[in-house]
């Protein structure tokens, strides 16, 4: 169903709720009356002909009144919805008063809205009435101001700590700094032991804090407390422009920089209407699939390490090292690739590198069997994961899980196949889904298993791509991008699932607003839901099996 | 698309009991044969920094994005690089002589800020600014992180029409920062037999800049 | 007559020119000799724990495709010394809110428990600090002292993570005492004595004289004991008390400097102790093939010393082999969960080890030692043991060969790099 048809249905069911239908945007938007939002949302979710069960993204855009126009400013809250079953989606938007932005929550309709709304509150100051715990998500609880507002001014100091590099360099070591006391953002529960797992804990995969309420080894609740790695990349994107943001996207997902590169490039290319040469597409696919393998190696390996087996992790690190060496040849860096450019890639892949990839694949394929023997089929490993933290398909969709986490629950959805981009339709590969290897669909083992099988699919794609790579240019020259005012949502299938880039342009060299939709963000929201009754060691397995990456959550 | 969840199967408890033992024993055995085989395989690590076959810098591909260096004899001070850099870590200042020639005042690159993204080197049309394969960038204070390429006053800005050839990559950085990236190395390990003798550091004895005063 | 009396008598005869049997100060000389022996044993523990740590790190390195420590001393053999000195020089931190006496005493208690075990280990034909007639019981008792130390460390640190570690270790060690005791009971049944030297003497030098190959139940009992002992030593896959990815470092999280080192000391000494116990209880201990203990005891002078040294070496080789196995297990397996740990113990190890005791009893009654059936059983078990070794060697070879060609193509070098080639 197209957005226009969805709009028809909404207008029929909830007359007067749609204020405006912005069909001229790249991704058409239904502008709703704020007080009718919940009604429309409920209809969209529950109507058997629409079934928009997946809330992709909630975010806000600050639009202060321009000095010369009479139109009043406001804050837009944008909702991206999607239906996996019917393969359609739509964007909603409400415009709120800038002085007092209040809208009703939808976190009871889509549980993953909980964190999206908290982030929106945190960064833009939008109040979501009826939200169960509307506290700051990324910034410290005692932060003043909402950084994504256009008129936000950064404070010079926070608890005596200088906030700019120049001040730090000028002062040297600060003489006296009051420690920043962070509120823990979650209330302790009477009668349980409060345990701070993190922010520096070996199993949290980055700087994340889990506030545990435990009864001995058994958890009552685990509440993630994030934001320790928040660098405001989206704010930075508004400042450094389209070209300059590319290297910053490397830092969003440090294990899958090629995908954040790709997503950003796709979004801007869509805004500009640029065609990418075929050879460049192949380069992109080859680099992406190598990167996907590297990321899955880390994720499966570190899961084994979290469960106490160090050796498999180092063996996967060794294999990834070869990929890193190849990446170094392809784009000059091992982690922060910054490989893609609008209209192509920064460098062509030379035949020698292709040879190296081929040799590595030959060596690596038997290694996967060895890895299976070493760890995947190990009884202890299986027992630690089988039946642990089971996510039902419905939950997986409702909590907005994406990528291998979603597929492990049995939902066969792969952006590469289902919302094709680049040249993926030309390759034959399977979308792997959970197969309840050890009895339960959607348990931690299925998620692990899915990743391993996805590596094999990536190898397939790599072989096909290397065989079919055409001659030609790897880049067309694109002038400094200056897209007209528009909005676009571009997505790629990253190793942690859908990696989406919502970009609002305004005709300048800098994006008006950019929101990176990452897999880890939503994966974190489900932990609180899954944690009751798990054991401490299961939580480690859960975090590892969800493959969360701290900078992806915090951006 | 959304599958039904199959009900869990309950196996026969006796078979499950002995099956567990069997699987535990056999999978442990399998795992141990794998780890055992690694005792006979070549380790994949190298002994950085001092016992490698050749300096790591030379193992890196030409494409590597290491520390930046600018060949001022080719730089036209067009400022493209400085404008492209998202962080603003390149600062270039020139002044004009009465006769119209331009002279460099500063050409600084702040390595403490740089994220080695390569955008600036890509923007440079004269192959003046480029990444080297140098990566051992530690210095003892934050100020030293800024590399000042204008090594003496009176260095004139190049003309785009007649540019001298690009000096070997790494040589400028090596000349600018003595001892930079050259650690004491012990003898290379005995292996492999056919390895060539360690080559001298890339462009370590690159020619001292002959032009620039023109 | 054990070596202590031997040495004491020698001293009395040569230095004091008295007859040890009637001399009134014989006990004093013996006490001094015991004291010296204890000191030597202490030094031995220290000397042994260190190199074990080095061996472990080198082996772990190779297993993980790394090199391992190879810089301090030739091939890094002195790495443990450097680490020891480093730890020794570090500040000995005591958390402000810790229970000071408990916190300070805990590492020593843990160490004492480990050290005490060395007293009854039969290193050679006559080399044992004290051949107690309740040797095995003493071993089981003294090693459980460790629990108290770990609990004290966990509680005294006043840290939640340490407490988790302490409580986990208490539950774990107490549980795993049971299957390990039952497995050793099989040995005691066969040997008919609790004395450690008696157990070794009841076996022989050849593999078919070892208890492990006596019958299938003993074969299984060995593995049960080995598993339980790994658990008692807090080694992977049973290293829950110090699971770094769950409770960070467990009971020793607040320790630093020398006290921290004592925990590690105890851990590495413990690997060696459990390997030694398995070696003397199941693998024939120091027994030299082809020569009976009585013959050794009857020798004099340098010949006596020579046989002692040989027996000691045999024992060390067996124990070191088992140390290697423990290390390899550690770098192969993941870690159990707490409930699985208990399930493994109470649902698997305990009933199975009881079964082994029963089986050994039944076979003792049915199969007279030295009879035809006994010979066949032993032969079959040795064959089984050989088969296990052979099959694993073949598996290792296959694993290696699968990768060899591809590796050569990828790296341009041969994959073969045997352990004796030290980079
Ligand atoms: S590499 Fe990137 S960050 Fe560094 S100077 Fe060049 S453009 Fe700036
Ligand atoms: S280095 Fe290149 S881009 Fe930068 S000012 Fe010089 S010529 Fe221009």
């Amino acid at each position: 169903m197209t957005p226009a048809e969805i709009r028809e249905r909404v207008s029929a069911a909830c007359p007067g709720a749609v204020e405006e239908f912005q069909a001229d945007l790249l991704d058409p938007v239904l502008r709703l009356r704020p007080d009718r939002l919940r009604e429309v949302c409920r209809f969209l979710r529950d109507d058997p002909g629409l079934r928009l069960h997946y809330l992709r993204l909630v975010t806000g855009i600050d639009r202060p009144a321009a000095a010369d126009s009479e139109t009043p400013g406001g804050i837009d809250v944008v909702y991206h919805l999607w239906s996996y079953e019917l393969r359609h989606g739509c964007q909603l938007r409400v415009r709120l008063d800038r002085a007092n932005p209040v809208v009703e929550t939808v976190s009871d309709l889509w549980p993953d809205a909980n964190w999206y709304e908290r982030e929106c509150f945190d960064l833009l100051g939008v109040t979501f009435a009826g939200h169960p715990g509307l506290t700051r998500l990324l910034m410290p609880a005692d932060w003043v101001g909402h950084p994504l507002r256009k008129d936000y001014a950064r404070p010079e100091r926070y608890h005596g700590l200088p906030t700019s590099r120049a001040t730090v360099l000028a002062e040297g070591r600060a003489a006296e700094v009051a420690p920043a006391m962070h509120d823990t953002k979650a209330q302790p529960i009477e009668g349980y032991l409060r345990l701070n797992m993190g922010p520096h804990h070996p199993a949290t995969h980055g700087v994340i804090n889990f506030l545990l309420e435990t009864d001995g080894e058994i958890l009552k609740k685990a509440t993630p407390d994030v934001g320790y790695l928040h660098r405001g990349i989206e704010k930075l994107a508004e400042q450094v422009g389209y070209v300059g943001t590319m290297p910053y996207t490397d830092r969003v997902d440090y294990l899958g920089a090629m995908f954040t590169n790709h997503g950003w490039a796709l979004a801007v290319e869509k805004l500009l209407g640029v065609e990418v040469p075929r050879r460049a597409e192949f380069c992109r696919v080859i680099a992406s699939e190598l990167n996907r393998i590297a990321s899955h190696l880390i994720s499966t390996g570190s899961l084994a390490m979290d469960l106490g087996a160090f050796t498999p992790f180092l063996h996967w690190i060794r294999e990834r090292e070869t990929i890193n060496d190849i990446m170094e040849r392809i784009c000059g860096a091992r982690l922060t690739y910054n490989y893609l450019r609008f209209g192509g890639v920064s460098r062509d892949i030379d035949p020698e590198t292709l040879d190296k990839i081929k040799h590595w694949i030959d060596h690596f394929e038997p290694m996967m069997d060895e890895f299976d023997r070493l760890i995947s089929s190990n009884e202890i490993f299986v027992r630690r994961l089988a039946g642990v933290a089971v996510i039902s398909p419905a939950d997986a969709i409702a909590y907005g899980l994406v990528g291998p986490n979603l597929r492990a629950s049995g939902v066969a959805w792969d952006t590469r196949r289902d919302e094709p981009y680049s040249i993926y339709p030309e390759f034959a590969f399977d979308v792997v889904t959970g197969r309840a290897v050890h009895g339960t669909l959607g348990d931690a083992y299925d998620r692990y298993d899915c990743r391993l099988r996805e590596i094999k699919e990536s190898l397939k794609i790599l072989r096909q791509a290397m065989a079919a790579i055409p001659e030609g240019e790897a880049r067309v020259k694109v002038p400094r991008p200056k897209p007209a005012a528009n909005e676009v949502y571009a997505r790629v299938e990253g190793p942690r699932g859908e990696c989406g880039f919502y970009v609002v342009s305004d005709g300048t060299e800098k994006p008006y607003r950019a929101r990176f939709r990452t897999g880890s963000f939503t994966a974190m929201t489900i932990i609180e839901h899954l944690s009751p009754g798990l054991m401490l060691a299961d939580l480690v397995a859960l975090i590892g099996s969800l493959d969360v990456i701290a900078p992806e959550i915090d951006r | 698309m959304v599958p039904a969840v199959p009900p869990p199967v309950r196996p026969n408890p006796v078979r499950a009991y002995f099956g567990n033992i069997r699987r535990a024993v056999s999978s442990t055995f399998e795992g141990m044969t794998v780890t055992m085989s690694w005792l006979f395989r070549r380790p994949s690590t190298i002994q950085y920094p001092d016992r490698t076959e050749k300096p790591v810098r030379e193992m890196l591909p030409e494409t590597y994005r290491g520390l930046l260096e600018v060949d001022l004899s080719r730089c036209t001070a067009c400022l493209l690089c400085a404008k492209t850099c998202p962080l603003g870590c390149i600062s270039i200042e020139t002044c004009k002589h009465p006769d119209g020639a331009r002279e460099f005042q500063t050409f600084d690159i702040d390595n403490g800020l740089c994220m080695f993204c390569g955008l600036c080197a890509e923007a440079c049309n004269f192959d003046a600014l480029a990444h080297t394969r140098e990566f051992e960038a530690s210095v003892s204070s934050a100020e030293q992180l800024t590399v000042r390429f204008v090594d003496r006053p009176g260095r004139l800005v190049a003309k785009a029409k007649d540019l001298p050839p690009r000096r070997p990559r790494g040589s400028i950085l090596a000349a600018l920062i003595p001892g930079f990236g050259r650690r004491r190395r012990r003898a290379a390990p005995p292996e492999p037999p056919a390895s060539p003798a360690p080559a001298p550091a890339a462009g370590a004895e690159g020619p001292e800049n002959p032009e620039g005063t023109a | 007559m054990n070596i202590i009396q031997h040495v004491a008598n020698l001293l009395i005869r040569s230095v004091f020119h008295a007859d040890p049997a009637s001399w009134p100060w014989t006990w004093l000389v013996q006490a001094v000799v015991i004291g010296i022996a204890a000191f030597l044993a202490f030094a031995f523990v220290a000397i042994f724990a260190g190199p074990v740590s080095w061996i472990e790190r080198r082996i772990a390195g190779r297993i993980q495709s790394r090199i391992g420590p190879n810089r301090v001393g030739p091939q890094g053999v002195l790495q443990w010394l450097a680490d020891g000195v480093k730890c020794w020089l570090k500040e000995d931190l005591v958390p402000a809110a810790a229970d000071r006496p408990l916190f300070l005493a805990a590492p020593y208690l843990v160490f004492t428990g480990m050290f005490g075990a060395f007293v009854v280990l039969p290193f050679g034909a006559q080399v044992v600090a004290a051949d107690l007639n309740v040797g095995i019981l003493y071993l089981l008792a003294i090693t459980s002292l460790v629990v108290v130390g770990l609990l004290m460390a966990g509680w005294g640190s006043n840290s939640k993570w340490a407490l988790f570690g302490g409580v986990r270790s208490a539950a774990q060690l107490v549980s795993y005492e049971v299957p390990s005791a039952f497995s050793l009971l099989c040995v005691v049944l066969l040997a008919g004595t609790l004395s450690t030297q008696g157990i070794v003497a009841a076996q022989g030098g050849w593999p078919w004289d070892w208890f492990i190959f006596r019958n299938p139940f003993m074969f299984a009992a060995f593995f049960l004991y080995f598993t339980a002992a790994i658990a008692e030593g807090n080694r992977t896959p049973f290293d829950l008390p110090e699971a770094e990815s769950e409770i960070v470092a467990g009971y020793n999280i607040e320790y630093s400097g020398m006290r921290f080192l004592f925990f590690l000391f105890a851990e590495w000494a413990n690997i060696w102790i459990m390997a030694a116990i398995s070696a003397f209880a199941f693998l024939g201990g120091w027994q030299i093939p082809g020569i009976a203990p009585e013959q050794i005891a009857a020798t004099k002078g340098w010949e006596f010393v020579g046989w002692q040294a040989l027996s000691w070496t045999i024992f060390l080789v067996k124990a070191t082999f088992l140390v290697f196995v423990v290390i390899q297990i550690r770098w192969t397996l993941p870690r159990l969960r707490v409930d699985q740990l208990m399930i493994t113990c109470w649902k698997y190890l305990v009933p199975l080890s009881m079964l082994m005791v029963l089986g050994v009893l039944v076979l003792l009654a049915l199969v007279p030692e030295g009879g035809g059936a006994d010979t066949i059983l032993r032969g079959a078990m040795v064959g089984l043991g050989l088969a296990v070794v052979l099959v694993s060697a073949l598996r290792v070879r296959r694993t290696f060969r699968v990768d060899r060609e591809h590796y050569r193509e990828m790296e341009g070098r041969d994959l073969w790099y045997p352990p004796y080639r030290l980079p």
Side-chain angles (χ1 to χ4, degrees), chain A residues 495-506:
Chain A
R496 271 153 289 281
E498 179 183 323
C499 183
F501 287 78
Y502 175 59
V503 185
V504 182
S505 61
D506 62 348

Side-chain angles (χ1 to χ4, degrees), chain C residues 186-202:
Chain C
C186 299
V187 175
V188 173
L189 284 176
L190 281 186
T193 171
L194 287 169
S195 140
T196 51
Q197 282 290 33
I199 288 172
V200 178

Side-chain angles (χ1 to χ4, degrees), chain B residues 73-124:
Chain B
S73 56
R74 288 178 66 89
C75 176
T76 59
C78 65
L79 300 189
L80 264 181
C81 53
K83 277 187 206 141
T84 312
C85 177
L87 292 160
C89 37
I90 305 178
S91 52
I92 306 171
E93 278 170 35
T94 54
C95 65
K96 216 165 189 145
H97 284 205
D99 60 356
R102 283 159 76 217
E103 184 188 307
F104 276 113
Q105 296 286 310
T106 42
F107 197 117
D108 294 355
I109 297 182
D110 189 349
N111 283 330
L113 210 54
C114 175
M115 55 180 168
F116 307 101
C117 63
L119 291 181
C120 53
E122 239 176 79
C124 180

Side-chain angles (χ1 to χ4, degrees), chain A residues 382-425:
Chain A
V382 168
R383 286 303 161 115
R384 282 295 304 277
L385 295 178
V388 167
V390 180
I391 303 176
S392 70
D395 264 2
I397 295 174
Y399 277 90
L401 292 192
V402 286
N405 295 336
L406 177 72
R407 291 191 282 273
S409 293
V411 185
W413 185 271
D414 188 324
T415 313
R416 287 176 293 176
R417 183 195 67 181
D418 297 305
E419 295 176 282
Y421 62 97
S422 191
I423 45 164
Y424 278 108

Side-chain angles (χ1 to χ4, degrees), chain A residues 20-61:
Chain A
E20 186 190 355
F21 180 59
Q22 296 166 303
D24 52 333
L25 296 178
L26 278 166
D27 291 313
V29 170
L30 274 67
R31 196 147 73 76
L32 305 178
R33 288 180 43 170
D35 52 340
R36 306 286 299 272
L37 174 73
R38 276 180 65 83
E39 185 193 338
V40 176
C41 283
R42 195 181 290 279
F43 169 74
L44 290 172
R45 190 190 68 163
D46 294 340
D47 184 68
L50 293 171
R51 280 186 272 173
L52 294 158
H53 289 306
Y54 168 38
L55 176 67
R56 196 168 240 156
L57 182 66
V58 179
T59 193
I61 308 162

Side-chain angles (χ1 to χ4, degrees), chain C residues 1-23 25-31 33:
Chain C
M1 191 158 43
N2 70 25
I3 196 158
I4 300 236
Q5 284 162 320
H6 222 89
V7 173
N9 289 355
L10 213 74
L11 268 178
I12 294 165
R13 282 213 195 84
S14 55
V15 179
F16 302 104
H17 304 290
D19 177 20
S22 58
W23 199 50
W25 302 108
T26 303
W27 63 271
L28 188 65
V29 176
Q30 281 183 352
V33 172

